[in-house]
Amino acid sequence: MAQNRKHLANAPDASDDPPFDLPEAVREPELGPSLSSRALQGAAAPPYLSALNPEQRQAVEALDGPVLVLAGAGTGKTRVLTTRIAHILASRKAYPSQLLAVTFTNKAAREMKERVGDLVGGIVEGMPWLGTFHSIGVKILRRHAELVGLKSGFTILDTDDQIRLMKQVIEAAGLDKDRWPARQLAGLIDGWKNRGLTPDKVPAGEAFGFASGKGAQLYAAYQRRLKELNACDFGDLLLENLRLFLEHPDVLADYQRRFRYMLVDEYQDTNIAQYLWLKLLAQSSPNLCCVGDDDQSIYGWRGAEVDNILRFEKDFPGARVIRLERNYRSTGHILAAASGLIAENKGRLGKTLFTDGHMGTKITVIAVWDDEEEARAIGDDIERMQKDGQRLNEIAILVRASFQMRAFEDRFITMGLPYRVIGGPRFYERQEIKDAIAYLEITANPANDLKFERIINVPKRGLGDTSVKRLHELARAREMPLYQAAQMIVETEELPGKARHSLAGLVANFERWRGQVGHMRHTELAELILDESGYTAMWQADKSPQAQSRLENLKELVRFMHEFDSLEGFLEHVSLVMDADQAGDGERVSLMTLHAAKGLEFEVVFLPGWEEGLFPHQRSLDESGQAGLEEERRLAYVGLTRAKRIAKVSFAQNRRNRGLYQSALPSRFVDELPEAHVEVLEAKLPFGGAYQNFAGPFGRSRFDDVAPFEATYETPGWQRAQERTKTRARDEWSPAKARKARRPTTIEGELVAASSGAPAFRPGERVSHQKFGAGTVADVDGNKLTIDFDTAGRKRVVDSFVARG
DNA sequence: GTTCGCTCACTTTTT
DNA sequence: GTGAGCGAAC
């Protein structure tokens, strides 16, 4: 390795991007084998290669021509990608700047950068074309912006801005904005852009769905507005690239020559626009290597086209397909269960994972009464494992939909079990962060109308719709940005005195702040702006429970800005990278959606909520039929294959969904698991107080009259799940009887809880909780308290964890 | 212009 | 059951 590093360090200056339009002959890296590489050739394979298994090695060494690496879950996909990059560089096939490596997320790009860096040393700094589709798209677009009707400094709209702009477009077209919501139009346009469709290419039939056929016109109008604002939305970053390439073959040819080797991560997630983009670039010298797994394609609903990966061999004639099937992550039973399940899917390229490791324990399936009991059972399970030395960081609960998380959070809070939610609302998506960024953005770039509109009346400064409308009229008439219009309008009598005064104040503030750019540290300036604008004060005055954490977030934002050396640098980063690392310290159980879990792995994985309608989700079936079902099944596959050692599936017979308590059938996926690898568990008796709903202080519950389950639950999965419960009961099993039998336990549980000596609390009392600290009791419901915590916000907790004072 | 209260919807989510 | 968003009343 050390040898290798040295060798690479001697390569031509990595950061030296060959001038773009240099003739081919000059740019050609005339790198005869260096002394060290010749020495290496005489030796055995470089160490980075010998660490690979034969298939991985094949995937790394097949450098020329199109290659599809079908990398099953846990087969070392990232290792192959990074080693391949290292190999290309080490064998001097290309300069770092001639490698194109695309990922979907910034996180993946970052990881790849790091891992390549580990392999080859700092040379990766010279890989300017390693990034997300979008970041690379921006880079290209900024170089040739004029060719597609933009200026190089164009701004990138986030979703909020996009919706705001679309609202304006809809209203400008004289349409009722309530009847035709901007959100829906945004969805349509996004979909078209994902498919590489410009307004003129939108199929007539589809455009008809919106505003009685005006869909495509609105799309066109929206695009015009974007150009006027010198702005792009995310979809444009690729779409405009396509246009650039198609309308300017010379530009395309330059990039084709430049990118000698191309690598694509998660190819199964590419949409049509991305596919077209790759296809154009790969046209002349298709050293294109795509890595992916058709079985893990779970983003069809946002435009990903599984077909891209299924068709690879046809799209790129002569393509080699290399399968990575040796799994290094999971035990035999887990792999077999996952493989058995996914085998139900029709449209697959097909691969079978195997492991040299142990069979391990079978995956388990358990039926629980309802979502509350599910959370309770899993919570208890985790506590037990924790006692046996299982680290919480290695435990995850993967749910289909985020509303399922609440039951777990409630339960874990009550238990005092530390957890973290992954993939919740992102840092940059929070209101306070977006507002703050809007202030910073306008300071740097006053022409950003949408950002200006965002904060013109935040905090409230008496500039309502009417004033904003005036501003718009003026800006339109003079064809100038809103900000400039504001500067102008305050010199006139157009606005009522109060509004005029406060707008003048705002403009004066921005002018002063802008004067400070470059004279003051950008972090200090940010603090100054947040302060002087009254934005911080607004949240300080807010007495809602989240206000405190919003202020924390603002501080965090400023802290984060330290990593950049200028305001502009920070803003450029922010516009693309809607992604900040969640500070995740300490031992915690992870709670996330199945989608968020892709690419992660845990020792222990809980898979709750395997019920028809929830998983597979009804909506997915309704909207996409068989394809939807298969995607849901892939989601199940992704979930199972996250587990290294233990996977536990559960389903509830009743679930509180939208305020409604409804009975549910076990998911068909439960029955599709191969029996040989599954152990059906009984729900433990006594039910740990699970039936509070039935035997609270009010005796019989409304659920007592629900029809007997036997009538409804006849699937093999259900029967299997019930089998042992039946034997246990030594009597003919019936839900009613079972419930009756359990009732005393429950009552006991209630009694124990009620008589545990916990003092009754009253609303308004000051209390403290071991986990959340001090707070004020807002409401008392039996032994459950609702408390407004000073820092943690409003939570429901059990009184036994609460002390006075 | 702001605030309150009603209605509606509610899978998954990156850039 | 809950939160967001919008319209009507202050």
Side-chain angles (χ1 to χ4, degrees):
Chain A
M1 200 69 229
Q3 263 179 324
N4 186 35
R5 242 172 239 257
K6 195 169 173 197
H7 159 72
L8 285 163
N10 288 336
D13 186 0
S15 58
D16 188 3
D17 213 21
F20 191 64
D21 33 28
L22 230 52
E24 178 75 2
V26 182
R27 289 203 301 117
E28 190 77 30
E30 293 172 56
L31 308 170
S34 68
L35 292 179
S36 55
S37 70
R38 265 154 58 198
L40 271 174
Q41 266 165 18
Y48 62 88
L49 281 184
S50 49
L52 303 175
N53 71 34
E55 304 80 45
Q56 289 175 332
R57 183 158 175 179
Q58 223 186 339
V60 165
E61 291 188 301
L63 291 185
D64 297 317
V67 179
L68 175 63
V69 180
L70 279 178
T75 54
K77 178 195 73 165
T78 312
R79 164 168 242 170
V80 164
L81 267 173
T82 51
T83 310
R84 189 177 160 100
I85 292 174
H87 186 57
I88 292 169
L89 297 176
S91 53
R92 309 198 135 195
K93 293 272 193 177
Y95 280 105
S97 62
Q98 292 171 326
L99 266 175
L100 174 71
V102 263
T103 63
F104 276 86
T105 63
N106 291 297
K107 187 168 161 240
R110 211 160 41 227
E111 274 168 20
M112 202 188 293
K113 231 169 220 172
E114 269 164 31
R115 288 184 60 173
V116 174
D118 288 346
L119 280 174
V120 305
I123 204 168
V124 71
E125 289 310 321
M127 269 193 71
W129 303 103
L130 189 168
T132 62
F133 276 101
H134 296 267
S135 65
I136 290 169
V138 177
K139 198 165 197 162
I140 292 178
L141 217 48
R142 289 225 191 272
R143 291 181 158 186
H144 314 279
E146 342 66 58
L147 296 181
V148 292
L150 289 165
K151 277 165 269 167
S152 158
F154 62 83
T155 54
I156 300 158
L157 266 50
D158 63 22
T159 324
D160 269 21
D161 297 339
Q162 205 182 334
I163 300 284
R164 202 166 296 126
L165 186 58
M166 252 172 238
K167 262 192 193 132
Q168 292 172 15
V169 169
I170 290 171
E171 282 180 359
L175 292 163
D176 181 357
K177 68 172 164 41
D178 298 323
R179 181 122 180 258
W180 306 108
R183 279 226 134 275
Q184 196 187 333
L185 181 63
L188 274 173
I189 292 184
D190 248 16
W192 288 326
K193 288 187 175 177
N194 284 339
R195 284 154 58 201
L197 299 171
T198 46
D200 51 307
K201 300 270 168 53
V202 174
E206 286 184 48
F208 231 81
F210 196 83
S212 15
K214 295 222 175 71
Q217 278 144 271
L218 290 170
Y219 179 14
Y222 169 71
Q223 291 305 106
R224 274 197 300 278
R225 284 291 290 144
L226 282 173
K227 290 284 149 62
E228 283 166 25
L229 292 165
N230 191 32
C232 266
D233 65 17
F234 283 120
D236 284 337
L237 297 180
L238 269 154
L239 199 62
E240 294 291 0
N241 256 261
L242 288 179
R243 212 149 70 81
L244 171 72
F245 288 162
L246 290 171
E247 290 175 9
H248 301 275
D250 51 320
V251 175
L252 173 62
D254 275 339
Y255 284 101
Q256 286 172 337
R257 245 174 290 131
R258 158 171 300 245
F259 298 138
R260 289 169 178 259
Y261 292 92
M262 297 188 272
L263 296 94
V264 184
D265 191 17
E266 306 277 19
Y267 188 63
Q268 79 283 353
D269 287 339
T270 49
N271 61 33
I272 295 182
Q274 287 155 344
Y275 159 78
L276 292 170
W277 187 81
L278 288 168
K279 182 114 199 199
L280 282 173
L281 285 172
Q283 234 165 34
S284 62
S285 73
N287 294 329
L288 172 68
C289 173
C290 294
V291 181
D293 181 359
D294 50 322
D295 290 336
Q296 291 186 69
S297 163
I298 54 175
Y299 285 110
W301 50 273
R302 65 174 196 214
E305 194 63 55
V306 211
D307 244 28
N308 287 348
I309 195 165
L310 300 179
R311 267 192 350 239
F312 188 85
E313 288 173 274
K314 282 187 201 122
D315 285 335
F316 300 94
R320 293 184 61 181
V321 178
I322 297 164
R323 285 180 164 73
L324 303 183
E325 297 173 305
R326 184 185 302 264
N327 176 291
Y328 294 99
R329 180 187 294 155
S330 310
T331 59
H333 280 305
I334 292 171
L335 282 186
S339 300
L341 178 74
I342 199 66
E344 301 279 332
N345 271 6
K346 299 282 183 295
R348 296 179 67 211
L349 291 170
K351 42 185 177 0
T352 313
L353 296 184
F354 65 93
T355 174
D356 292 341
H358 296 289
M359 280 312 277
T361 50
K362 292 183 178 181
I363 75 166
T364 65
V365 172
I366 187 166
V368 292
W369 176 248
D370 64 4
D371 44 342
E372 265 182 59
E373 194 201 314
E374 190 172 53
R376 196 185 326 267
I378 290 177
D380 291 350
D381 221 354
I382 292 174
E383 234 168 25
R384 216 170 304 128
M385 290 182 185
Q386 191 183 15
K387 276 194 195 107
D388 293 343
Q390 176 59 56
R391 290 184 50 209
L392 295 183
N393 277 347
E394 280 295 332
I395 301 179
I397 297 159
L398 311 182
V399 297
R400 174 64 181 81
S402 43
F403 76 82
Q404 292 172 261
M405 290 186 190
R406 176 164 298 157
F408 290 99
E409 293 201 54
D410 281 354
R411 182 64 194 158
F412 294 169
I413 285 167
T414 314
M415 293 169 65
L417 183 68
Y419 69 92
R420 103 186 90 222
V421 174
I422 301 208
R426 268 167 192 63
F427 188 66
Y428 287 112
E429 312 227 316
R430 301 189 182 159
Q431 184 191 344
E432 65 276 14
I433 300 302
K434 285 183 161 185
D435 289 342
I437 286 170
Y439 271 101
L440 299 174
E441 169 73 25
I442 300 156
T443 303
N445 173 21
N448 194 323
D449 281 5
L450 294 155
K451 293 281 190 277
F452 187 59
E453 232 185 301
R454 180 180 181 100
I455 50 81
I456 189 164
N457 201 28
V458 180
K460 304 247 174 351
R461 46 172 77 89
L463 293 163
D465 286 353
T466 341
S467 310
V468 173
K469 211 161 260 166
R470 287 275 158 74
L471 266 186
H472 264 297
E473 283 161 15
L474 180 63
R476 261 292 164 79
R478 300 285 176 103
E479 294 186 333
M480 55 169 57
L482 281 181
Y483 183 85
Q484 213 180 327
Q487 281 180 310
M488 189 174 274
I489 211 169
V490 296
E491 304 292 327
T492 72
E493 304 290 326
E494 287 291 326
L495 294 180
K498 198 179 149 217
R500 178 183 164 192
H501 184 72
S502 86
L503 184 59
L506 181 66
V507 168
N509 273 341
F510 272 118
E511 290 304 310
R512 197 172 61 255
W513 297 329
R514 191 162 311 124
Q516 292 301 319
V517 175
H519 297 289
M520 203 172 167
R521 288 195 49 166
H522 63 295
T523 46
E524 284 168 25
L525 178 59
E527 281 170 345
L528 184 82
I529 292 174
L530 291 177
D531 224 27
E532 293 187 352
S533 61
Y535 192 74
T536 319
M538 176 181 101
W539 287 118
Q540 277 160 352
D542 191 314
K543 52 207 175 309
S544 74
Q546 303 95 344
Q548 193 56 41
S549 78
R550 293 193 196 272
L551 286 165
E552 285 297 317
N553 289 337
L554 290 173
K555 276 189 204 143
E556 178 61 35
L557 180 74
V558 174
R559 228 171 291 143
F560 183 60
M561 286 177 71
H562 281 286
E563 289 179 24
F564 299 84
D565 28 56
S566 72
L567 186 59
E568 290 77 8
F570 168 73
L571 290 170
E572 171 74 11
H573 169 86
V574 160
S575 65
L576 265 183
V577 184
M578 301 307 261
D579 185 25
D581 271 331
Q582 304 178 1
D585 47 342
E587 280 290 315
R588 289 162 188 285
V589 172
S590 298
L591 187 52
M592 69 191 92
T593 63
L594 285 159
H595 283 93
K598 197 170 101 177
L600 305 179
E601 59 177 28
F602 300 89
E603 290 283 323
V604 180
V605 168
F606 288 93
L607 297 160
W610 282 39
E611 294 131 41
E612 278 298 300
L614 175 59
F615 190 35
H617 201 281
Q618 193 57 46
R619 205 135 149 191
S620 185
L621 302 182
D622 290 347
E623 283 167 17
S624 317
Q626 187 63 26
L629 174 64
E630 297 211 346
E631 182 154 315
E632 295 282 304
R633 195 177 279 117
R634 291 193 290 267
L635 205 45
Y637 174 79
V638 167
L640 284 168
T641 53
R642 298 309 98 198
K644 294 190 206 166
R645 204 158 56 76
I646 294 175
K648 297 188 160 213
V649 171
S650 55
F651 61 90
Q653 298 155 53
N654 297 280
R655 183 168 295 275
R656 206 184 303 273
N657 195 348
R658 14 183 135 163
L660 278 177
Y661 201 81
Q662 285 176 321
S663 65
L665 295 168
S667 167
R668 68 191 80 188
F669 298 154
V670 172
D671 295 315
E672 289 171 3
L673 295 169
E675 285 215 51
H677 306 286
V678 176
E679 183 189 1
V680 177
L681 298 182
E682 61 177 303
K684 290 233 167 29
L685 286 172
F687 272 57
Y691 290 78
Q692 275 178 354
N693 282 324
F694 289 95
F698 310 109
R700 271 176 67 81
S701 93
R702 60 201 155 109
F703 304 115
D704 286 2
D705 296 319
V706 170
F709 301 124
E710 283 100 329
T712 343
Y713 296 97
E714 287 177 348
T715 68
W718 166 248
Q719 282 166 5
R720 254 190 281 152
Q722 284 309 320
E723 232 174 287
R724 294 184 61 182
T725 317
K726 281 187 194 176
T727 9
R728 221 354 146 69
R730 277 192 222 132
D731 199 343
E732 200 192 354
W733 186 87
S734 90
K737 275 185 191 169
R739 243 179 289 141
K740 229 176 189 171
R742 283 165 209 145
R743 191 170 296 168
T745 323
T746 311
I747 291 169
E748 203 178 326
E750 277 292 311
L751 287 174
V752 168
S755 64
S756 61
F761 292 90
R762 295 220 182 92
E765 259 189 284
R766 291 291 291 171
V767 293
S768 71
H769 182 270
Q770 45 180 229
K771 189 163 180 313
F772 298 119
T776 309
V777 177
D779 192 32
V780 181
D781 172 20
N783 60 348
K784 282 184 189 153
L785 307 177
T786 304
I787 299 176
D788 288 326
F789 288 102
D790 299 348
T791 49
R794 175 168 284 209
K795 307 269 185 206
R796 276 175 59 150
V797 299
V798 160
D799 60 2
S800 46
F801 290 88
V802 175
R804 284 215 161 75

